Amino acid sequence: MDSKTNTENSVKNPVSEAALKGGQNTEIQPFGTIVRLPIALEAKACAASVNNLNQVLADTMTLRDLYKKHHWQTSGPTFQPLHFLFDKHFQEQSGLVDLLAERVQTLGGVSLAMAADVAEATIVPRAPKGRENPSAQLRRLLHAHEIVLEETRAMARQADEDGDQGTNDLLVGDVMRGNELQVWFLAQHLMADSLSAASDATAADGAEGASPKKTTSPLIKTASPSGNGQNFARVMTSHPYQLSEYTLRTNE
């Protein structure tokens, strides 16, 4: 019996744990190192871009997986459009992951790849294991996009200053523009509720003859074309990486 069990185990696990842990080192390039390639770019610039790209890669992989989670778990009357939208965005984020990882390798670096390493590196807040309502799903995705876009803008500027136009082109042309477009699609699903809430609040203030309540939260506002319309504004908390909320505010 013991002999048979040992034989089955040897078939299932042809490479022993001892060989993996105690044997020869199988790495040909440690993480965090740069191999010089003839791409006419200084090693310092390559190292800086690799470090930055791996951060964007970790956060993009997390955002990608958030989309798949919400694709499976979304609910309610908007299930079908959100189900398909989340999957479409998942596919697009998967494409960005591949571009980012290959750029790291092109620069002579080692890209992040495994889930455990990504979880250690990402600054996107971890989602609960449970199922969230569609509004919470949308807000969580918008917040993750904002994190990726904020770091991408800064890293694109650094790449340009370092003479790494290839990385700058990837970050601006693919990552930044792709994320901005997805934000636009997501935000529209919250726009109707925000408009309704703002309209109700305005009507209530008018009926009571009271002045609109002021908020102490810093707002990022865009100018209204008519000068007296409503603006789509982001209500920021004191920490930029806390979960943001998106709402409509009236001009004061």
Side-chain angles (χ1 to χ4, degrees):
M1 179 69 71
D2 291 341
S3 176
K4 181 179 180 182
T5 301
N6 290 335
T7 301
E8 290 176 350
N9 288 337
S10 66
V11 172
K12 293 179 181 177
N13 304 290
V15 180
S16 68
E17 185 176 353
L20 289 174
K21 288 187 175 181
Q24 62 182 5
N25 187 357
T26 58
E27 284 190 350
I28 59 173
Q29 182 184 351
F31 183 81
T33 62
I34 298 293
V35 171
R36 297 290 289 123
L37 297 174
I39 57 175
L41 190 62
E42 293 182 1
K44 184 178 179 180
C46 289
S49 288
V50 164
N51 184 59
N52 287 338
L53 286 167
N54 265 324
Q55 184 60 59
V56 180
L57 176 60
D59 296 330
T60 300
M61 292 174 79
T62 304
L63 175 55
R64 175 202 63 187
D65 292 346
L66 272 178
Y67 269 115
K68 183 56 75 172
K69 169 182 168 62
H70 295 334
H71 164 73
W72 292 327
Q73 297 178 358
T74 195
S75 59
T78 58
F79 170 83
Q80 187 174 34
L82 288 181
H83 181 71
F84 288 116
L85 179 65
F86 291 162
D87 197 47
K88 178 177 182 292
H89 285 190
F90 167 82
Q91 298 294 339
E92 292 168 354
Q93 290 292 329
S94 295
L96 292 177
V97 165
D98 203 46
L99 290 174
L100 288 164
E102 290 185 352
R103 181 62 187 171
V104 170
Q105 299 297 139
T106 300
L107 293 170
V110 179
S111 63
L112 286 170
M114 303 305 293
D117 300 321
V118 171
E120 288 181 355
T122 186
I123 58 174
V124 175
R126 181 175 177 175
K129 287 184 179 180
R131 191 180 187 189
E132 294 183 295
N133 63 60
S135 178
Q137 291 176 332
L138 289 164
R139 294 173 194 278
R140 186 173 296 281
L141 288 166
L142 284 168
H143 180 56
H145 276 292
E146 185 177 43
I147 290 173
V148 171
L149 283 165
E150 185 173 1
E151 65 190 6
T152 297
R153 294 182 196 283
M155 293 171 182
R157 287 192 294 269
Q158 182 181 348
D160 188 52
E161 292 171 0
D162 291 344
D164 186 1
Q165 286 81 15
T167 295
N168 174 272
D169 180 65
L170 169 62
L171 292 174
V172 174
D174 295 291
V175 180
M176 189 184 301
R177 291 177 181 171
N179 276 273
E180 287 175 342
L181 190 62
Q182 290 187 351
V183 165
W184 178 44
F185 275 82
L186 293 177
Q188 303 314 303
H189 288 270
L190 293 175
M191 185 68 77
D193 291 341
S194 298
L195 281 169
S196 178
S199 178
D200 291 345
T202 302
D205 288 337
E208 297 173 3
S211 300
K213 294 181 179 179
K214 293 186 177 182
T215 176
T216 57
S217 299
L219 300 177
I220 298 175
K221 295 188 176 182
T222 57
S224 171
S226 62
N228 59 2
Q230 293 174 327
N231 290 327
F232 184 63
R234 179 166 59 84
V235 180
M236 291 284 291
T237 57
S238 59
H239 194 294
Y241 294 139
Q242 292 178 0
L243 189 61
S244 301
E245 291 185 0
Y246 294 75
T247 185
L248 278 164
R249 298 281 179 178
T250 55
N251 287 330
E252 298 180 2

